[in-house]
Amino acid sequence: MSEHFDAIIATPLPGGLRLGIRVDAGAITDIDFLPADEPLKRPSAAAENAVSVLKAYFTDPRLGKEPPLHIEGTPFQRRVWAAMRAIPVGEVRTYGELAEQLHSGPRAVAGACRANRIPILIPCHRVVAREGLGGYMGALYGDPLTLKEWLLHHEGAC
């Protein structure tokens, strides 16, 4: 599996999850959560900046360095992802608040969150339900919610 990534890095995420990173022309195209036993992969030259930004995030999420992202999606998804990127570290918005801002519906916003291929840097974890965490990565309970909660706690949002 590691041959499909430009880098695989260790993280402080729950369960020792690793991040698989794909880049194209130096811009991040995908970040995947991988199991703790996935072999690490030294970053390619193109992925070094991405790895640096992610390691800095895990040290201090407020460092705010924006790496180049190669974002592919529908025009609506891109609008939702831009709105998520505008949510400051340490804050959250509800699906309904984003929907109202974008003149859409909460389920459409949730669908765009689910389609996000660059989690953490396009911070879908900062979008929560009116009451509670809501979902994460298409799941409403289990390990993905533990991960969302960890990310929000790391950023000081809960």
Side-chain angles (χ1 to χ4, degrees):
M1 179 183 248
S2 64
E3 66 273 0
H4 301 306
F5 296 101
D6 295 289
I8 298 176
I9 63 170
T11 74
L13 293 170
L17 289 175
R18 300 197 171 180
L19 294 181
I21 304 159
R22 290 185 194 91
V23 297
D24 182 22
I28 300 170
T29 62
D30 296 272
I31 296 175
D32 291 340
F33 296 104
L34 303 173
D37 61 355
E38 185 71 32
L40 298 175
K41 181 175 182 180
R42 184 183 192 126
S44 66
E48 286 180 1
N49 183 50
V51 168
S52 167
V53 167
L54 286 162
K55 286 184 176 183
Y57 170 84
F58 287 119
T59 300
D60 182 353
R62 297 181 189 283
L63 291 176
K65 188 173 178 190
E66 292 282 333
L69 304 178
H70 181 82
I71 302 170
E72 291 186 1
T74 67
F76 175 74
Q77 289 170 334
R78 294 169 68 90
R79 285 180 41 229
V80 173
W81 299 335
M84 287 190 296
R85 290 181 76 199
I87 302 170
V89 172
E91 294 183 24
V92 297
R93 301 290 182 272
T94 66
Y95 296 100
E97 288 170 333
L98 276 187
E100 186 175 317
Q101 175 185 333
L102 298 168
H103 307 288
S104 180
R107 288 186 184 191
V109 169
C113 289
R114 216 174 9 261
N116 177 16
R117 293 174 38 187
I118 311 174
I120 299 175
L121 300 178
I122 298 178
C124 49
H125 60 277
R126 294 182 194 151
V127 183
V128 299
R130 186 174 9 163
E131 294 182 23
L133 287 177
Y136 194 60
M137 301 184 323
L140 296 175
Y141 55 89
D143 292 339
L145 274 290
T146 300
L147 177 57
K148 182 175 185 171
E149 189 171 39
W150 188 95
L151 290 166
L152 290 172
H153 180 73
H154 177 62
E155 293 183 357
C158 61

